[in-house]
Amino acid sequence: MNLLTSLASTKTFVHPKAALDGQKEKHRIGIFGGTFNPIHNGQLIAAEQVCNQLGLDKIYFMPDAILFGGTHKNAVEPSARAEMIRLAIRGNSKFGIELTPIHDGGQQSTYNVLKKISSKHPENEYYLILGAHLIRQISSWDNVSALNKLVHLVAIEEPGVRRVSDFEAIWTYVNWLNISSSDIRSHLRTRQSVRYLIPDAVAAYIADIAEYGLYQGRFS
């Protein structure tokens, strides 16, 4: 048994081609959830590569209504984070934005959000895109077994994070950029350049409304 066969036989690995066989009668739609505080080029590149690897018809960025880890002094309103996503993905026909969690006020679990989306669009087959660190934590989510039946789980490999999950996942590899939203917020607060870290349109948006407190600083 070779390595690929061995991996494919475990419940934590599904080969992308095998996962997509038989799904061509429906539109293949990716859902890339996150805080996006702010969205950055690393996330955009990862989404582009996953979209190409899996042959998805479209990926929707789905910002959280409530920030992971609780509220902090630099929390940005969902409307601002959504607008930055719109600016970041403008011109890419493969990218869109999904606002159901924001419209629901963050009161719904991931399962309930995706159930609502799926019921509205039965013509679509959904792929929930998660980083490797999140796929390892997914067992603690509400209704995760039902979620696993509702959508395909897609895990993006991350440096230093083992490829393991309690649920079947399609594992993808991307060329990660060493960028984080927290580092970008730090740069903005201390007025350091964020050029090439975030799209120019997002940078201009932040600069335009910095006087109102967005990330508490300007940048060069």
Side-chain angles (χ1 to χ4, degrees), residues 9-84:
S9 66
T10 70
K11 91 173 179 177
T12 63
F13 180 90
V14 177
H15 193 280
K17 183 180 184 303
L20 299 177
D21 284 347
Q23 303 298 335
K24 294 182 180 180
E25 71 276 7
K26 289 191 173 187
H27 300 296
R28 296 195 290 267
I29 305 298
I31 298 289
F32 190 2
T35 305
F36 304 114
N37 187 40
I39 190 169
H40 57 70
N41 289 341
Q43 292 164 329
L44 293 165
I45 290 172
E48 178 80 6
Q49 292 184 9
V50 170
C51 188
N52 290 336
Q53 285 181 40
L54 299 186
L56 301 179
D57 296 295
K58 196 154 189 169
I59 286 183
Y60 286 91
F61 292 80
M62 188 171 72
D64 306 313
I66 301 173
L67 297 180
F68 283 134
T71 302
H72 53 77
K73 64 181 181 179
N74 293 309
V76 172
E77 291 295 322
S79 59
R81 289 184 281 117
E83 181 60 23
M84 288 187 283

Side-chain angles (χ1 to χ4, degrees), residues 28-203:
R28 296 195 290 267
I29 305 298
I31 298 289
F32 190 2
T35 305
F36 304 114
N37 187 40
I39 190 169
H40 57 70
N41 289 341
Q43 292 164 329
L44 293 165
I45 290 172
E48 178 80 6
Q49 292 184 9
V50 170
C51 188
N52 290 336
Q53 285 181 40
L54 299 186
L56 301 179
D57 296 295
K58 196 154 189 169
I59 286 183
Y60 286 91
F61 292 80
M62 188 171 72
D64 306 313
I66 301 173
L67 297 180
F68 283 134
T71 302
H72 53 77
K73 64 181 181 179
N74 293 309
V76 172
E77 291 295 322
S79 59
R81 289 184 281 117
E83 181 60 23
M84 288 187 283
I85 292 172
R86 289 191 186 96
L87 291 169
I89 66 176
R90 189 169 56 191
N92 188 333
S93 61
K94 289 280 191 176
F95 287 171
I97 186 168
E98 173 56 62
L99 297 176
T100 296
I102 291 177
H103 291 160
D104 288 344
Q107 302 305 311
Q108 302 275 0
S109 67
T110 300
Y111 168 72
N112 286 330
V113 167
L114 290 174
K115 183 178 179 182
K116 186 173 185 178
I117 294 170
S118 297
S119 65
K120 285 183 179 179
H121 300 283
E123 73 279 8
N124 293 337
E125 190 83 15
Y126 285 99
Y127 296 77
L128 179 60
I129 302 166
L130 303 167
H133 68 289
L134 282 178
I135 206 77
R136 294 187 66 181
Q137 302 169 14
I138 200 170
S139 295
S140 64
W141 291 16
D142 292 337
N143 299 309
V144 64
S145 294
L147 175 65
N148 191 41
K149 295 176 182 177
L150 180 67
V151 301
H152 300 280
L153 299 177
V154 177
I156 303 177
E157 293 191 29
E158 297 180 55
V161 180
R162 289 180 59 207
R163 179 191 279 188
V164 63
S165 170
D166 291 333
F167 295 88
E168 285 189 347
I170 304 168
W171 286 86
T172 60
Y173 174 82
V174 303
N175 296 314
W176 278 111
L177 298 183
N178 190 22
I179 302 174
S180 73
S181 293
S182 60
D183 286 343
I184 292 168
R185 294 195 301 270
S186 178
H187 278 58
L188 292 168
R189 287 195 302 272
T190 55
R191 303 189 181 187
Q192 299 179 61
S193 175
V194 292
R195 186 172 294 157
Y196 308 125
L197 300 179
I198 59 179
D200 289 343
V202 175

Side-chain angles (χ1 to χ4, degrees), residues 205-218:
Y205 174 84
I206 293 172
D208 286 344
I209 63 174
E211 61 184 298
Y212 300 107
L214 189 66
Y215 300 122
Q216 301 179 2
R218 292 182 181 273

